[in-house]
Amino acid sequence: MDAGRCRYQFRIALLGDAAVGKTSLLRCYAGIAEPGAPEPTAGVEFYSRALQLPAGPRVKLQLCDTAGHERFRCITRSFYRNVVGVLLVFDVTNRESFEHIQDWHEEVMSTQGPNKVIFLLVGHKSDLQSTRCVSTQEAEELATSLGMAFMETSAKTNWNVDLAFDTLTDAIQQAL
Ligand code: GDP
Ligand code: MG
């Protein structure tokens, strides 16, 4: 779809611990084949994708990846500038990544001031059921307590990847 003719641009960020699968999720959604292991380069990495919302308008999504900085918890304020939606991502096989979700949520809230940001909690690597250690129920409880929805995704099996971004984008549009 021609991104130049879009009516809106939504800037969406993916946040969560290192290695939960943020870059893989983004590349899966943006349709970029993985050229080997995703590289933790400096700065912010942008991807874009245009989509047609069910309600009518065309939207250009600007998707922001932390490019490895989450490892050092030194994400610059410019990363959060004009962000309207955030996917808070944890790995369902990594308990610590789930326990850090509240910290990521607070970090976004502290950088945004009064701006409204729409969040979606994402339990990623749902293909790894035999080693999972975070249940759907407790993830749903956390999402409810933080006032957001919860979804499970897998970039490996392409499970719910489009749906997660569509759900977030719909919620952003409804809040406009
Ligand atoms: P990031 O640090 O959050 O950007 O995570 P990456 O996208 O670099 O992924 C970290 C590791 O998890 C890589 O080895 C990926 O191949 C793997 N990975 C990413 N998504 C999935 C998934 O859905 N399922 C499984 N099994 N592995 C995944
Ligand atoms: Mg990454």
Side-chain angles (χ1 to χ4, degrees), residues 32-69:
I32 297 162
E34 224 175 281
E39 72 294 346
T41 46
V44 183
E45 283 173 4
F46 296 107
Y47 300 82
S48 67
R49 181 167 159 172
L51 63 84
Q52 182 89 47
L53 292 177
R58 253 190 263 242
V59 177
K60 181 182 176 186
L61 301 185
Q62 188 184 44
L63 306 160
C64 314
D65 194 8
T66 46
H69 285 115

Side-chain angles (χ1 to χ4, degrees), residues 17-25 34 38 65 70-71 124-128 153-156:
D17 283 6
V20 296
K22 301 178 298 298
T23 301
S24 304
L25 192 58
E34 224 175 281
D65 194 8
E70 71 280 22
R71 209 173 290 278
H124 191 59
K125 306 192 189 179
S126 70
D127 57 287
L128 299 176
T153 57
S154 168
K156 195 167 181 183

Side-chain angles (χ1 to χ4, degrees), residues 154-169:
S154 168
K156 195 167 181 183
T157 61
N158 198 358
W159 170 254
N160 274 351
V161 174
D162 280 13
L163 193 59
F165 285 92
D166 288 352
T167 301
L168 183 68
T169 313

Side-chain angles (χ1 to χ4, degrees), residues 85-105:
V86 173
L87 293 175
L88 287 178
V89 187
F90 69 93
D91 170 352
V92 297
T93 70
N94 176 343
R95 186 88 213 160
E96 218 174 85
S97 71
F98 177 66
E99 281 158 9
H100 290 158
I101 287 293
Q102 295 216 42
D103 300 338
W104 289 114
H105 180 250

